Amino acid sequence: MLIELEKRKEPSKAMLYLTPVIAVIATMLTGAIIFSLIGHDGFGAVAKIFLAPLLDTYKWQDLGVKAAPLILIGVGLAIGFRANVWNIGAEGQYIMGGLAGTGVALATWGMTGWWILPLMCLAGIVGGAAYAGIPAFLKTRLNVNEILSSLMLTYVAIQVLYYLMRGPWKDPDGFNFPQTRLFTDDQILPTVIPSTVVHLGVPLAFLVAIIAWFVMSRSVFGFQIRVVGAAPAAARYGGFNTNKTIWAALLAGGGLAGFAGILEAAGPFGQMVPQFPTGYGFTAIIVAFLGRLHPIGIVLAGIILAITYVGGELAQSSIGLPAAATGVFQAMMLFFLLATDVLVKYRIKLASAVKAGDAA
Amino acid sequence: MTDSLLIPIIMTIVGAATPILLAALGELVVEKSGVLNLGLEGMMLIGAVTGFAVTATTGYAPLGVVAAMIAAAASAGLFGFLTLTLTANQVATGLALTIFGIGLSALAGENYVGQTVDVFGSVFPAALAEHPVLRVIFGYSPLVYVSLLLVAAVSWFLRKSRAGLILRAVGESDLSAHSIGYSVIGVRYMAVLFGGAMAGIAGCFYSLVLTPMWAEQLTAGRGWIALALVVFAGWRPMRLLLGAYLFGAVMTLELHAKAAGFSLVAPEFLAAMPYLATIAVLAIISARKAGKSLAPACLGKPFKPSS
């Protein structure tokens, strides 16, 4: 028996939406088996990671808070991925956005006014976009691969963060701890649901996803991005400027990552600390793919990945599952999605070896 | 006096250069066949933890190295299955492999954190290996000499051997190679597995030679530097050798400056140096070669003959 792939005339719509579901289910099954094999309670672990956060209504607020940055970054990255622009340095842009916003917070420390928080957010967006501008410049002017440059810049951003925390931005009254002052009331995102941790950034992330949906599906910009990604030759023939698209894709991705950064700093953190980078920028890559590079899909994918984070923490405290398990589950999800992707474009046929020989 | 400073510096450079050289050499062959595997960092970590675990259990480092090669090649096989057989996107699959490798190695290495193994030491007699001056030649792990031999071997393979010619043909023009009867997918599988095995050796160079211990994310992003190095070298093994030692020197500068309490620039700046240097080098190389790319023509493109 031989597996043969037969190209579909057009990509299967049903498979496009079905494969992420298959990927999640396959991850749960495989995860349960693997974790049983290495001596954990596999099915218990999967239940804790994937179901417990959903069943415990008290955990829903955490899901929202975790999903928000993933959705924001994922939506931005998807714009780039659609245009075949591989910005994988969102983690660095997230850090730089957080730092730029923190800079405003420290400069306005002690002041009051409604304008402080919007200014911090603006700085965050500009900071992230500017940092993504470096790979955009290198790519369009010098033809430098954006995968490598954006990733290298992430490591640089981490060092910039450490430097600022250890030196210039250290809290003067902080007993020499490498962290900034606590943000003041006017610099902290208000909570939108009383007596929960759900801050203003959560509805903002959903709003951004909806706006991105309209932009990507209804505007010339969205069309241009899709054409450049799907058919670069046609795009050139149609007079679309490839360099402009690269700039737009990177600035959008960096800006949203930066926005996510300052929302985290002014939200859950309430100050800037060396532990600020938590890998959201990398996880958001999985979110973008699991969401099929579609803003609404990314919202759902963001929630699913948030479930694995919250559930992973639950499993850690209750059944002692190692923290690294979450990453394994997340990567498996992307593996399964990519593997089942083949079903979107191809029909799987089982052919006998003889027949295959005849055909060739 | 100068010897006592110079020799440790040279030895540190060799130590820093060897793993990125090994990983980059594997990736070079992979890319020459037309496949871009961004999972280098993940494969290295899988190799690092496997090598350490097997050495800690058996007490025999060469067995650890072989196990590391097998484990990392197996993870490369997974990448190959997804990208070659199922024609999945190579960039996304490579990234997934890195995230997977980081998680899996942390998980598998959990019980080995804090343990030590004997350094995978020299094969030469102690009189040479520990000689105050001659150790600069004889005082390394056998893997260092292996890496140099492999550079020569890969260079010969790609330029002079028939199999190497086929591999390059597959990378430059998959359709022509296919039409004259070579198995494009088969050749690419071999290349990907080789790349995985090399990443495995590179990974266990950290856990068995340099540190020697296991810690989460032990390779600290060096896999990405190795990837950049392949571009830097213009896909030529000999230039890779030069590049790896250059990068080794930059990383060593950081270490020694820190140790010497060099305070003119912030230590964070020195830590960022290898990454900044990579970007600068990529910019110079890419700008100079703008227009005619040295990259294999089919790099990163999935192969599907019948469609």
Side-chain angles (χ1 to χ4, degrees), chain A residues 142 151 155 166 322 324 328 331 335 339, chain B residues 82 103-104 106-107 221 224 268 286:
Chain A
L142 305 172
L151 192 98
Y155 291 100
R166 193 183 53 90
V328 175
F335 272 142
Chain B
L82 285 168
L104 189 70
L107 204 57
W224 297 103
E268 289 86 0
S286 311

Side-chain angles (χ1 to χ4, degrees), chain A residues 292-336:
Chain A
R292 287 270 167 238
L293 307 183
H294 185 292
I296 302 306
I298 288 168
V299 169
L300 295 174
I303 294 171
I304 292 173
L305 268 291
I307 290 174
T308 64
Y309 271 121
V310 175
E313 279 166 19
L314 276 175
Q316 222 175 307
S317 57
S318 61
I319 57 174
L321 197 73
T326 311
V328 175
F329 273 106
Q330 292 174 347
M332 271 202 297
M333 227 181 271
L334 183 51
F335 272 142
F336 277 116

Side-chain angles (χ1 to χ4, degrees), chain B residues 191-266:
Chain B
V192 164
L193 291 177
F194 173 76
M198 293 292 283
I201 312 180
C204 65
F205 195 84
Y206 287 100
S207 61
L208 295 182
V209 180
L210 285 182
T211 42
M213 52 163 223
W214 166 253
E216 273 187 38
Q217 301 214 33
L218 185 67
T219 51
R222 297 293 189 246
W224 297 103
I225 291 201
L227 265 168
L229 206 56
V230 179
V231 185
F232 171 86
W235 290 268
R236 287 190 199 131
M238 286 303 173
R239 274 209 211 159
L240 204 62
L241 184 68
L242 183 78
Y245 278 81
L246 217 62
F247 274 76
V250 172
M251 291 177 220
T252 306
L253 187 76
E254 178 207 337
L255 279 176
H256 279 268
K258 216 182 265 178
F262 184 61
S263 59
L264 211 60
V265 282

Side-chain angles (χ1 to χ4, degrees), chain A residues 5 7 35 38 86 88 138 142-145 147-149 151-153 155-156 159 162-163 166 282 285-286 289 322 324-325 327-328 331-332 334-335 338-339 342 346, chain B residues 38 78 82 85-89 91-93 95-97 99-100 103-104 106-107 110 221 224-225 227-228 266-268 271 275-276 278-279 282-283 286-287 304 307:
Chain A
L5 301 179
K7 189 145 188 153
F35 280 86
I38 60 172
W86 297 96
I88 60 169
L138 291 172
L142 305 172
N143 201 24
V144 175
N145 182 315
I147 296 173
L148 293 171
S149 60
L151 192 98
M152 294 291 137
L153 285 170
Y155 291 100
V156 176
Q159 296 303 328
Y162 289 169
Y163 170 72
R166 193 183 53 90
F282 294 108
I285 296 170
I286 304 179
F289 276 100
V328 175
M332 271 202 297
L334 183 51
F335 272 142
L338 292 165
V342 74
Y346 299 97
Chain B
L38 294 182
L78 180 66
L82 285 168
T85 304
L86 299 180
T87 64
N89 181 306
V91 173
T93 312
L95 289 174
L97 181 55
I99 299 172
F100 183 68
L104 189 70
L107 204 57
E110 213 191 0
W224 297 103
I225 291 201
L227 265 168
E268 289 86 0
Y275 306 104
L276 288 170
T278 307
I279 296 172
L282 283 178
S286 311
K304 200 76 193 69
S307 58

Side-chain angles (χ1 to χ4, degrees), chain A residues 31 55 77 85 87 89 99 103 108-109 112 144 161 165 167 181 206 233 235 249 257 272 283 291 304 337 341 349:
Chain A
L55 298 177
L77 288 180
V85 175
N87 171 15
L99 285 177
T108 58
W109 204 78
T112 52
V144 175
L161 168 70
M165 293 303 102
R181 294 169 185 274
F206 287 89
M272 183 52 73
T283 311
I304 292 173
L337 182 80
D341 241 359
K349 281 189 11 186

Side-chain angles (χ1 to χ4, degrees), chain A residues 255-279:
Chain A
L256 286 178
F259 191 31
I262 187 54
L263 291 179
E264 281 298 291
F269 283 95
Q271 67 185 130
M272 183 52 73
V273 294
Q275 296 80 27
F276 182 67
T278 44

Side-chain angles (χ1 to χ4, degrees), chain A residues 23-33 42-43 46 50-51 329 332 336:
Chain A
V24 173
I25 295 171
T27 303
M28 291 165 75
L29 287 176
T30 318
I33 294 166
F43 283 91
V46 168
F50 287 90
L51 297 179
F329 273 106
M332 271 202 297
F336 277 116

